[in-house]
Each structure stands twice: as structure tokens, then as C-alpha cells.
């Protein structure tokens, strides 16, 4: 369990060593650098540099007394404070980041399941008029909230899948190749490839008109066969 907690603490900006020390403070209460060194096996010089990092990041506080001790900030408080700080920074970045000129004619290879999932979510959220999606029901379900928001906003949603229902969307029940995805948004952008959950998954993203046209025609033919 501790290893998973450490990995999550790293996502909140702590180093692996800082996370280990933070957990010791949570378990044992107020400790000196010497006591922490004994508990963790980390050298005292590294203990003190990590404690300084924890204090700077809002995860620990210094207690002055006969002997200098350190105490952990409660996990809930540390997590909430960090999230609030990140939210403030996120709003600033979104407001002040320079606009990117979209290279709609290019081809972009997106590798890794996490990156592909993020791109799918981005494409769905940025849909202005219509969306066509062909994927397994399991994959579609992961974006139920975003798809429902499009439906509520009056966008046209067409989904080719195997056993998924979404009121307000046009659903075609059909057998879908396992782990394959085809996504077209606003007749402008396309994402196609494989999503198994592996870091080696690869998808192609593009606004290249020829690829978009080919993908649209393929989906149109599929829909016509299902309607016949």
C-alpha cells in the first residue's frame, strides 16, 4: 500500500525520498532529523534537505524546542492545498499561454494509452458541431460524461459500437474490432488507431483533408450497410 501512496505523492510534487519521509512523519508524529534517519535508513544530510523540501511544499512544519523536530501536515490538508494551488496556476496558464497555430494539414503520431485517452477527451470536449465515433462500448463508456454534455448542448453525436446506449445520440449497434478506435470531429479532425491500455499503443491524429474524407467515407459505408 505504501508504494502506491508514494507514487501518488510523487504526482503531487514530492520526490520519492520526500514522500517516504512524509509517510514516516504521518505514522510516528513529531520526529527529529536523527530519528527520521534511523527510521528510514536515509543519511542525515539527505534527511535535512528532504525536510526542507517538504516544508517548502507545504507537507511538513518545523517545531522549535529543546530539540528541533518536524511534524507532517495532515494528508487531507496537504492534498487540498496543493490542488488549490495547482488550480490557480492552471487558470493562469490557460489565460496567458500563447495560442498555438493548428497545423491541420499534418499527421501526428500519438503513442501511449494515457496520451491517446487524453487526446480523445480533448477532441470530444472541443467538438463544435458533430462527432462520429466507432469503438467498443467499454471505451465509449469512459467518455460518457463528455458525450452527454455534447448531446445536452445540441451537438450531433453518431456512435458505432457494441451494446452502448446514449439518449439523444444516434447509436448503431455493430461488431467493433477489439481495441480499435475511429473518431472524427466537425468533419475536420480524425483520430484512428489502437488503444489496448499499453504504453506502446499508437494512434494517428490529423486534420489532413484526404484522411478525413477517407475516414468519413468508410464510416458512411458502414452506416449504410447497417441501415440496409
Amino acid at each position: 500500500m505504501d508504494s502506491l501512496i508514494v507514487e501518488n505523492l510523487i504526482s503531487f510534487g514530492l520526490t520519492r525520498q520526500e514522500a517516504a519521509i512524509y509517510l514516516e512523519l504521518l505514522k510516528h508524529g513529531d520526529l527529529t532529523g536523527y530519528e527520521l534517519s534511523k527510521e528510514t535508513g536515509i543519511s542525515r544530510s539527505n534527511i535535512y534537505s528532504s525536510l526542507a523540501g517538504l516544508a517548502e511544499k507545504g507537507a511538513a512544519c518545523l517545531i522549535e524546542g529543546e530539540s528541533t523536530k518536524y511534524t507532517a501536515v495532515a494528508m487531507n490538508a496537504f492534498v487540498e492545498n496543493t490542488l488549490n494551488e495547482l488550480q490557480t496556476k492552471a487558470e493562469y496558464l490557460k489565460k496567458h499561454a500563447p495560442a498555438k497555430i493548428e497545423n491541420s494539414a499534418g499527421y501526428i503520431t500519438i503513442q501511449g494509452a494515457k496520451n491517446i485517452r487524453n487526446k480523445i477527451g480533448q477532441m470530444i470536449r472541443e467538438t463544435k458541431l458533430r462527432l462520429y465515433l466507432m469503438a467498443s462500448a467499454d471505451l465509449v463508456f469512459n467518455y460518457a460524461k463528455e458525450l452527454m454534455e455534447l448531446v445536452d448542448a445540441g451537438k450531433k453525436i453518431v456512435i458505432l459500437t457494441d451494446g452502448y446506449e446514449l439518449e439523444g445520440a444516434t447509436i448503431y449497434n455493430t461488431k467493433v474490432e477489439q481495441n480499435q478506435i475511429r473518431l472524427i470531429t466537425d468533419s475536420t479532425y480524425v483520430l484512428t488507431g489502437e488503444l489496448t491500455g499499453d504504453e506502446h499503443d499508437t494512434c494517428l491524429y490529423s486534420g489532413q483533408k484526404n484522411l478525413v474524407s477517407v475516414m468519413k467515407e468508410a464510416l458512411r459505408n458502414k452506416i449504410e450497410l447497417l441501415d440496409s
Side-chain angles (χ1 to χ4, degrees), residues 48-201:
Y48 287 113
S49 62
S50 292
L51 285 168
L54 286 172
E56 182 180 348
K57 296 168 184 176
C61 297
L62 175 67
I63 303 173
E64 297 287 359
E66 291 184 8
S67 60
T68 300
K69 292 189 175 183
Y70 296 84
T71 188
V73 172
M75 181 74 80
N76 286 348
F78 169 65
V79 168
E80 289 300 323
N81 291 339
T82 303
L83 287 174
N84 289 336
E85 184 178 350
L86 285 173
Q87 183 62 41
T88 300
K89 292 179 178 179
E91 293 301 325
Y92 178 87
L93 289 173
K94 288 189 285 188
K95 183 177 180 180
H96 297 285
K100 177 184 176 182
I101 299 175
E102 188 70 36
N103 182 14
S104 61
Y107 295 92
I108 300 173
T109 299
I110 302 174
Q111 187 164 5
K114 179 180 178 181
N115 294 328
I116 294 170
R117 290 192 188 102
N118 288 341
K119 189 62 178 178
I120 294 169
Q122 178 191 352
M123 290 177 69
I124 293 174
R125 290 189 297 272
E126 293 179 353
T127 298
K128 295 179 175 61
L129 297 173
R130 63 185 68 86
L131 176 148
Y132 291 83
L133 173 62
M134 185 166 71
S136 68
D138 288 344
L139 192 153
V140 177
F141 180 78
N142 291 328
Y143 300 95
K145 179 176 179 291
E146 291 91 337
L147 291 168
M148 179 54 72
E149 288 174 352
L150 291 185
V151 170
D152 291 342
K155 311 294 174 61
K156 179 180 180 181
I157 308 299
V158 178
I159 303 174
L160 292 81
T161 189
D162 47 1
Y164 182 83
E165 298 296 333
L166 177 62
E167 186 176 353
T170 302
I171 305 291
Y172 291 93
N173 283 300
T174 182
K175 184 176 180 180
V176 178
E177 288 184 62
Q178 188 67 25
N179 304 321
Q180 294 297 306
I181 179 169
R182 307 286 185 270
L183 174 61
I184 303 172
T185 58
D186 296 322
S187 300
T188 303
Y189 301 106
V190 61
L191 180 84
T192 178
E194 184 178 54
L195 180 57
T196 68
D198 189 89
E199 63 181 13
H200 300 297
D201 289 345

Side-chain angles (χ1 to χ4, degrees), residues 1-9:
M1 177 64 73
D2 278 4
S3 62
L4 185 56
I5 295 176
V6 167
E7 293 302 324
N8 281 283
L9 285 170

Side-chain angles (χ1 to χ4, degrees), residues 34-48:
Y34 172 73
E35 290 168 334
L36 280 166
S37 181
K38 286 183 64 178
E39 289 290 342
T40 62
I42 300 171
S43 69
R44 290 178 68 179
S45 59
N46 286 335
I47 284 286
Y48 287 113

